Structure formats: C-alpha cells, structure tokens
C-alpha cells in the first residue's frame, strides 16, 4: 500500500509545482543538471536524458530563445545528426542521418503527441507545422529508429515537440518585431485559472516573411505569411487523473515560382502562384496514475489540412486513438504496452503534374506494442526488449523489434548499445500516382518525349536494421560529452524501372513510363559528438560534430540521399549582466548534391553565423536584436527535387520586443 500512497503524493507535488513560474535560465543549470533533464520520447515515460539508451538530444526553451530562431526547422539545426536545409522562405528539407529532401520520409515528427506525418508522401509539410515558440517546453530529438514505441516511419529518428503545461503560462505575453527578412511578426498569449484545478491559455500569432533571391540577385517570389491561433486546457480531475484538451487553427499564403514540364511547346512553363494552405487539429489526452510504478493514458486527436497548388491539390482528415499502460512487474521489470488505431480520408484533385487514382481513399492502421525494461544488476545494468506490431492498408503486417542495453559502471559514465528494425510504409503517391516528370522537346523529325513516373500497387515497405553504440560522461564537472556511433543497413529502398516508349497519337509525343520498385539497398554509417562546456557561471559553450558516410550504388536516384558528410555547430551563450545576453551561433555544412528532374545539382559547402543581443530594461520586458546568416549576402542550402527553382537564402536582421504581464 505504500507505493500507491507515495504515487499519489508525488502526483500532488508534481501538479503543485506546475503553478510555479517557469523562469529558470539555462545558465542557472550546471552540466550535470543538463544531463538530468527529463525526456519522454525514448521509452514513453519520464526519465533522465543521461539514463536513456538512445541517441537523444534536448533543445530547451532557453536554447530556442537565445538562438533567435523563428521556426521549428531552424531550431532543429541545434541537434547533432540533423540535416536541416532551407529550400526557400516557406519550404525545408529536414532529415536525420541522410536521405534528406523536400519530401524526406524517414523521420517521425510529433507535436504534443500528435503525429504530423502525412500519408501522401510519408513525410511532413513543415510549413504547416507551427507552435508559439515561447510556449515550447523542449524539443526531444532522437536519432536512430524509434519504431518500437512510435511505429512505422520512425526510421532515422523521432522529433517530439512538447509545449508547456498551461499552469506554466499564466498571465499575458505579447511579442512583436520586424526586420529585413522577417518583415513583421507578432504573437499574443494569455493564460488563466478556470477553476481550483483547471488552467488554460489561448494564443494567436502571425508573420510575414520576405522573398529570398535567385543566383542573379533577382527576387525569388517565395514570400510567405501565416496566421495561427489555438488553446490548451489542463485539468486535474483528481489526485490520480489529469485531462488535457488542446487545438490549433491556421491559414497561410505561400508564394512560389514553379518550373514545370508541359506536353505542348515550349515544353516547360514557369510561373508564380499564391497557394492557400489551411488546417487545424483537436487533441484530448487523459492520464491516470495508479502508483509510481503504474499509470495509463488514452489519447484521441483529429487533424485536417488542405493545400491547393497548381501541380496538385489535396485535403486530408486523420482520426487517431492511442492507449498505453505502464506497470512494474516483480522487482526488476517495467513493462509498457499499448494499442492504437488510425483512420485517414483524403480527397485529391488532378493538378498540372500529378494525379492520384483513385482520387479519394480511406485507410486504416491498427497497431500494438510491448516493451520490457529489465534491471539486470541493481542501478548498473538494464536490458530493454520490445516490438511494435502494425497492420496497414498498404503493406499489410509489419514487425519492428528492438533490443537496448544500458551500463552505468559509475555515476559519471553511461554506455549503451542498441539493435533495431524499423520500416517506412508506402505512401499514397508511391502506390497510386502518375506524375509528369520531364518533357524532352522534339529533336529534328523525332517527336517530343514525355517521361511519367508511376506508382505501383505492389510497392512494399522499406526497412532498416540499425546498430548503435553510445557513451555519455561528465568526467569533468564543467564538461559533458555525448558520443554515438551508428551503422544502418537499408533494404527494399525506392528505385525506378523504365518501360518501353509508346507513341501517343492524341498528344503527339512518345510516352516513356518509369515505375517505382523496391530494388535498392544502401548502407550509412558515421558518428555524432555533442559537448557542453560551462566555462564560467555566466558563459556556456555548446558544440557538436556529425559525420555521415554512405555506401550507395552509383545510380543517380540516391546521390542526393547521401547528404552532407560533415556538419559542425558551435554556440556561445554569454550573460554579461543579469539584464544583458549576447549569443553567437556558427555552423558549417559540408558540400552536398541533390538530384531531381533538373539533373544533378551541386551545392557548395557554407558557413553561417547568427548573433543575438538581448537587453531587459525591466523585469518583464526584453528587447533583442538578431542577425541571421551574417557571413554572406546569400547562400544556397538545398534545391528541391522538382518544380522549385534554386533559391538563395538571404542575410537577415530583425528586432523583437517581448512583454510579459
């Protein structure tokens, strides 16, 4: 009976603590505190980062504020192993450990437990995903498979964006600013107490971003504006039960310049367009605590988005149910199990490039998982075994097991190792699409040649066997070190086979079909190093280095997937006085290449520098000035595989005011 009582007391203490102001600065934490920060994504339970048998990195609220980033993808650049490239003002290529692209498909992204994955291409529309950055508690970045707990598509990593409990955001906050690239932005949030045990907040935000440049310094026509609002309610129903309800609505106007092929002369069309993208979501989660060793939760959410583009239009409804239960078994086992169900419905319209057949489709996903953490030697050695089991309408049954070992021979040293299997299930496009890739103009008496890329209903899931080992230490009080080495063996990767050309008398062109298949294998390997040095009480350095090597066959399809071999990030957080901060962030990204309908595109390596100066003339008022990409007038980070012309990311400056009341 002691454990349940202790559990109830713990919950009460925990809930009481939520009402405390959340004002602790990162420089108030020593290096050991940083390794003790709580993470939940590795094992679907709260545990210290240092005790996680995975390559996990935490981006804190203070990291986001002090780097001056204005979007989630920009914040992810802080994590080792993450490949984040800005394509233009409103598009990103984001991946972990390779395989990056506008339509990258091996990274699972969650916002407060809501999966942002779209079945359309098995990836994320990053321009659709936003939160009020001032309300982010932390972003947990896991490199490597997380499929045993999170399911398919967590192949190379899991991003979990966690916003603050509404009890931590009481009162008002107003932010506003503007500059050269961030032409204007603002946000307002207010949180209040709705009852003795219920707190909530509402927010609105919006921004307008300037267009970037072409190589010839002409405007790229990629300006972007967006408005978003939302709410969150947290209610402690009893000492054991807590209910969270939250939701968001957004609308954005995306400007872009497209270059797309066409059957008639001049066989390529270039034009600018304004794209409407809008959507919303509603999530509810109930958590019940039985004791310190037992709890369960039930989560239900609905998500909708709509995009209307010239080349393709789609809308998607998603309804998702998830249950999980954690309990202790005997003295040394901790078991987590659960099940889930997801239903999606899409409605598409034929565009100038892409057609899905059928135009509308309903899909279901059934899943369950179980994981057991076994303490083999008291406080020294742990073994974790588990697996996810899924059935989807595209590739049928999938199993995704993992085995993880954690060894703590000393309080300052952690060694871990893992072997995992994960799958990336087929997208809607990979089974049902037909897209016009290129049109070669007539050559003499020969007619034009139109190349179509077609999906295949027999397209299967891609899979990886991943091997990882890691080491964390604080062998010097002011210095922490986190090293991970990985080797990934991929099978059934996407490739294409070419069919014979046929003359189409209606359009007067030769049609050449390309069909997707799973006849490709690849291997990637490398290591990631992250270090924190608390040089002085008021000066901290964060550094990381990532090396990615690849072993791909020499076909053009996967040159782009290799990604930059080396990436370096170095951040300095300096608090000169209690009311004055100066932050500097240097990044180096190795040369890269992308491959698409425009052929092989080489991207030079680049170095960028961001700085931020912040002054707090009063306790609740902060003024800051941020410079981004300061070392060059503009630079190219990536080129989308199709349609979008190369866009150079411009240097930018903006000022910001933040007032809390």
């Amino acid at each position: 009976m002691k454990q349940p009582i202790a559990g109830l007391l713990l919950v009460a203490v925990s809930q009481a603590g939520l009402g405390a102001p959340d004002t602790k600065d990162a420089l108030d934490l020593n290096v050991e505190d940083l390794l003790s920060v709580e993470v939940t994504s590795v094992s679907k339970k709260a545990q210290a980062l240092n005790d996680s048998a995975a390559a996990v990195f935490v981006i804190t609220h203070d990291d986001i504020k002090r780097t001056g980033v204005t979007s989630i993808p920009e914040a992810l650049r802080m994590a080792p192993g993450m490949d984040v490239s800005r394509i233009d003002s409103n598009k990103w290529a984001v991946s972990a450990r390779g395989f990056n692209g506008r339509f990258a498909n091996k990274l699972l992204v969650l916002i407060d437990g809501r999966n942002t994955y779209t079945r359309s291409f098995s990836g994320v529309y990053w321009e659709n995903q936003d939160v009020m950055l001032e309300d982010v508690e932390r972003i947990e970045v896991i490199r490597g498979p997380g499929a045993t707990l999170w399911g398919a598509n967590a192949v190379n990593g899991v991003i979990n964006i966690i916003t603050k409990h509404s009890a931590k955001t009481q009162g008002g906050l107003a932010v506003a600013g503007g500059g050269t690239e961030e032409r204007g932005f603002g946000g307002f949030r207010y949180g209040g107490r709705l009852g003795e045990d219920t707190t909530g907040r509402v927010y609105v935000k919006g921004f307008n971003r300037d267009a970037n440049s072409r190589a010839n310094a002409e405007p790229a026509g990629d300006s972007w504006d967006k408005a978003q609002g939302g709410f969150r309610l947290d209610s402690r129903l009893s000492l054991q039960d807590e209910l969270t309800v939250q939701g968001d609505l957004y609308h954005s106007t995306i400007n872009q310049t497209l270059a797309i092929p066409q059957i008639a002369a001049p066989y390529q069309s270039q034009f600018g367009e304004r794209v409407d993208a809008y959507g919303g979501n509603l999530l509810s989660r109930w958590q019940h605590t039985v004791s310190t060793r037992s709890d369960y939760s039930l989560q239900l959410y609905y998500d909708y988005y709509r995009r209307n583009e010239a080349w393709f239009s789609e809308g998607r409804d998603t309804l998702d149910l998830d249950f999980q239960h954690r309990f202790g078994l005997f003295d040394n086992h901790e078991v987590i199990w659960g099940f889930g169900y997801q239903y999606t419905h899409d409605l598409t319209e034929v565009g100038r490039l892409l057609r899905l057949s059928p135009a509308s489709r309903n899909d279901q996903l059934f899943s369950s998982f179980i994981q057991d953490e076994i303490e083999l030697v008291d406080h020294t050695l742990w073994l974790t075994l588990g697996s996810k089991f899924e059935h989807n309408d595209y590739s049928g049954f999938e199993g995704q097991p993992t085995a993880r070992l954690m060894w703590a021979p000393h309080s300052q040293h952690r060694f871990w190792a893992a072997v995992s299997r994960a799958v990336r299930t087929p997208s809607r496009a990979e089974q049902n699409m037909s897209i016009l890739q290129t049109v070669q103009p007539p050559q003499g008496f020969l007619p034009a040649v139109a190349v179509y890329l077609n999906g295949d209903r027999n397209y299967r899931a891609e899979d990886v066997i991943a091997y990882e080992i890691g080491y964390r230490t604080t062998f010097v009080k002011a210095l922490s070190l986190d090293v991970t080495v990985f080797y990934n063996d991929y099978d059934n990767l996407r490739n294409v086979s070419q069919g014979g050309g046929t003359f189409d008398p209606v359009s007067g062109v030769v049609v050449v079909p390309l069909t997707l298949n799973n006849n490709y294998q690849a291997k990637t390997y490398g290591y990631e190093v992250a270090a924190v040095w608390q040089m002085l009480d008021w000066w901290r350095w964060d550094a990381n280095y990532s090396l990615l090597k690849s072993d791909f066959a020499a076909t053009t399809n996967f040159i782009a997937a290799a990604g930059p071999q080396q990436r370096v990030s170095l951040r300095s957080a300096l608090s000169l006085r209690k009311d004055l901060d100066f932050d500097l962030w240097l990044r180096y990204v190795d040369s890269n290449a992308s491959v698409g309908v425009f052929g092989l595109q080489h991207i030079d390596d680049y170095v960028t520098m961001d700085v931020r100066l912040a002054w707090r003339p009063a306790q609740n008022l902060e003024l800051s000035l941020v410079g981004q990409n300061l070392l060059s007038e503009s630079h190219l980070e990536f080129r989308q595989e199709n349609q979008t012309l190369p866009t150079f990311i411009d240097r930018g400056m903006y000022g910001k005011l933040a007032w809390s009341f």
Side-chain angles (χ1 to χ4, degrees):
M1 191 61 189
K2 289 182 179 178
Q3 283 185 347
I5 293 175
L8 298 182
L9 290 174
L10 183 65
V11 171
V13 170
S14 174
Q15 296 296 335
L18 290 173
D22 186 34
T23 58
K24 202 167 188 179
D25 190 278
L27 292 184
D28 294 333
L29 304 175
N30 60 40
V31 170
E32 290 181 344
D33 290 337
L34 292 173
L35 283 179
S36 299
V37 66
E38 177 185 288
V39 297
T40 56
S41 305
V42 176
S43 301
K44 280 199 169 186
K45 66 172 185 176
Q47 62 182 149
L49 182 153
N50 204 26
D51 294 332
S52 302
V56 59
F57 185 87
V58 174
I59 300 167
T60 66
H61 164 76
D62 206 61
D63 291 332
I64 293 170
K65 183 180 74 171
R66 298 197 59 149
T67 51
V69 298
T70 56
S71 68
I72 295 170
E74 288 179 332
L76 296 177
R77 296 184 198 266
M78 285 182 258
M82 290 299 300
D83 184 6
V84 180
S85 301
R86 192 162 194 166
I87 298 171
D88 60 21
S89 178
N90 49 64
K91 301 181 188 67
W92 284 267
V94 182
S95 187
R97 295 179 177 173
F99 297 91
N100 203 5
R102 166 74 172 93
F103 302 106
N105 53 27
K106 294 176 177 59
L107 187 67
L108 189 72
V109 182
L110 305 153
I111 299 179
D112 286 331
R114 175 175 56 87
N115 192 339
T116 64
Y117 157 92
T118 175
R119 175 62 76 178
S120 298
F121 65 95
S122 292
V124 176
Y125 285 118
W126 285 98
E127 61 272 28
N128 285 2
Q129 311 305 329
D130 200 7
V131 295
M132 193 152 177
L133 291 179
E134 290 78 7
D135 291 344
V136 172
E137 174 94 29
R138 63 185 183 276
I139 302 175
E140 299 179 5
V141 180
I142 301 175
R143 293 101 62 198
T148 296
L149 295 177
W150 299 105
N153 310 307
V155 175
N156 282 359
V158 178
I159 306 295
N160 197 358
I161 301 154
I162 300 169
T163 65
K164 296 176 181 176
H165 192 285
S166 58
K168 292 183 175 180
T169 54
Q170 297 293 285
L173 173 68
V175 296
T180 57
E181 297 308 302
E182 304 288 343
R183 290 195 293 202
F185 59 87
F188 177 82
R189 177 249 292 155
Y190 190 81
R193 186 166 292 279
L194 305 177
E196 186 178 351
D197 298 312
T198 302
T199 54
R201 67 168 177 262
V202 294
Y203 79 92
V204 292
K205 63 173 294 185
F207 60 78
N208 180 283
R209 289 184 182 153
D210 194 17
N212 288 287
S213 305
R214 302 287 179 218
N216 59 7
E218 292 292 321
D222 58 330
S223 60
W224 180 29
D225 61 68
K226 187 174 184 180
Q228 180 166 321
F231 74 99
R232 173 168 172 158
L233 290 174
D234 295 285
S235 181
R236 183 156 54 89
L237 305 177
S238 70
L239 284 176
Q240 296 173 287
D241 299 279
E242 180 168 4
L243 178 68
T244 299
V245 182
Q246 63 187 93
D248 307 276
L249 288 172
Y250 65 87
H251 178 275
S252 64
T253 303
I254 298 169
N255 292 286
Q256 57 186 3
T257 301
L258 302 183
I260 64 174
Q262 61 184 29
I263 297 296
Y267 304 103
Q268 181 164 325
S269 175
Q270 182 172 320
F271 59 93
E273 69 164 342
R274 290 169 60 89
V275 176
D276 271 337
Y278 53 90
N281 60 82
L282 182 65
L283 179 145
S284 175
R285 181 171 50 254
W286 168 55
Q287 295 174 288
H288 179 79
T289 302
V290 180
S291 70
T292 53
R293 298 191 69 196
S294 178
D295 54 57
Y296 52 84
S297 67
L298 181 66
Q299 175 180 284
L300 176 69
Y301 73 79
Y302 167 75
D303 183 278
Y304 173 76
Y305 72 82
R306 179 86 206 169
R307 301 172 62 88
N308 299 311
E309 299 186 67
W311 68 282
F312 178 63
S313 293
E314 64 163 327
R316 179 171 296 276
D317 300 85
T318 300
L319 185 66
D320 187 280
L321 175 71
D322 183 74
F323 172 83
Q324 72 172 55
H325 179 206
R326 179 182 68 95
F327 62 94
L329 184 65
F330 308 117
D331 290 333
N332 59 341
H333 290 256
E334 187 169 63
V335 179
I336 301 178
W337 71 279
F339 59 84
Y341 170 76
Q342 186 179 87
Y343 171 83
T344 64
H345 164 79
D346 65 23
L347 180 61
T348 68
E349 296 177 12
V350 178
R352 294 173 62 172
L353 285 185
L354 177 63
R355 172 174 59 86
L356 296 183
S357 179
S360 181
R361 180 167 170 170
N362 303 325
D363 294 307
Q364 298 184 87
L365 170 67
F366 300 88
S367 66
S368 64
F369 75 92
I370 185 167
Q371 178 169 289
D372 185 10
E373 182 180 294
I374 310 162
E375 188 172 14
L376 300 176
V377 178
D378 285 352
H379 307 296
T380 303
L381 187 64
W382 297 264
L383 173 65
T384 302
L385 301 172
S387 184
K388 186 95 173 183
F389 307 97
E390 294 186 352
H391 185 277
N392 67 83
D393 290 346
Y394 288 80
S395 59
F397 177 81
E398 302 286 355
Q400 300 171 92
T402 189
R404 296 180 182 272
L405 192 66
M406 167 67 80
W407 178 40
H410 186 276
S411 61
Q412 294 177 310
H413 302 277
R414 297 286 191 279
F415 296 87
W416 63 272
V419 180
S420 311
R421 179 181 186 270
V423 304
R424 202 272 297 174
T425 54
S427 70
R428 174 92 147 89
E430 285 167 329
Q431 289 202 348
N432 300 139
M433 77 172 175
S434 177
I435 185 170
L436 177 60
Q437 284 278 83
T438 60
V439 177
Q440 300 170 10
Q443 302 290 324
F445 296 104
L446 300 177
V449 177
V451 179
Y452 284 86
L453 178 62
N454 301 316
D456 188 337
R457 293 181 185 276
N458 294 316
Y459 193 84
R460 307 187 306 276
E462 301 176 346
D463 62 86
V464 62
I465 304 293
Y467 307 87
E468 301 172 279
I469 57 174
Y471 170 61
R472 294 189 191 96
T473 181
T474 53
F475 57 89
V476 176
K477 186 177 181 181
L479 178 67
S480 72
L481 186 67
D482 189 337
V483 182
T484 302
V485 180
F486 66 93
Y487 180 87
N488 293 339
D489 187 355
Y490 299 91
D491 198 6
N492 299 314
L493 292 176
R494 186 167 64 200
N495 205 346
V496 296
S497 56
Q498 180 174 329
T502 58
F503 181 71
D504 180 1
V506 176
S507 58
V509 302
V510 173
V511 175
V512 175
L514 301 175
T515 304
L516 294 177
N517 61 51
N518 293 92
N519 299 334
Y520 205 81
Q521 297 81 37
K523 297 175 175 59
T524 62
Y525 52 95
Y527 61 86
E528 298 141 357
V529 181
V532 178
W533 178 30
Q534 189 77 43
M535 190 171 75
L536 299 167
D537 289 343
W538 41 274
W539 196 349
R540 194 182 86 194
W541 294 86
D542 291 73
N544 65 64
Y545 171 80
S546 306
L547 176 71
L548 172 69
K549 293 280 191 178
S550 57
D551 182 7
F552 295 159
T555 72
T556 56
N557 289 325
F558 282 92
I559 293 175
Q565 283 199 5
Q566 300 182 86
R567 286 183 299 276
V568 179
S569 171
L570 178 64
R571 289 185 284 135
S572 162
L574 180 63
S575 291
L576 301 168
R577 302 188 318 227
K578 273 295 183 183
D579 61 343
L580 195 64
D581 298 335
F582 179 73
D583 298 273
L584 182 145
W585 187 8
L586 284 167
R587 291 185 296 114
Y588 168 75
V589 180
D590 210 344
S591 58
N592 194 7
S594 66
V595 174
V597 297
F598 303 110
L600 175 62
Q601 302 290 320
H602 180 79
I603 302 166
D604 291 336
D605 61 341
Y606 61 89
V607 180
T608 68
M609 181 177 75
D610 297 352
V611 297
R612 175 181 180 268
L613 179 65
W615 174 47
R616 289 174 290 278
Q619 184 178 2
N620 297 326
L621 179 65
E622 182 178 84
L623 306 173
S624 57
L625 181 65
V626 177
Q628 296 176 311
N629 303 315
L630 295 179
L631 296 184
S632 63
E633 188 173 344
S634 64
H635 66 280
L636 182 67
E637 296 190 0
F638 199 77
R639 181 168 184 179
Q640 184 170 319
E641 300 89 327
N642 53 14
Q643 306 164 17
T644 302
L645 297 173
T647 302
F648 285 66
I649 308 305
D650 291 338
R651 174 192 294 144
M653 297 278 292
Y654 73 84
K656 179 181 176 182
L657 178 151
W659 175 44
S660 57
F661 53 94

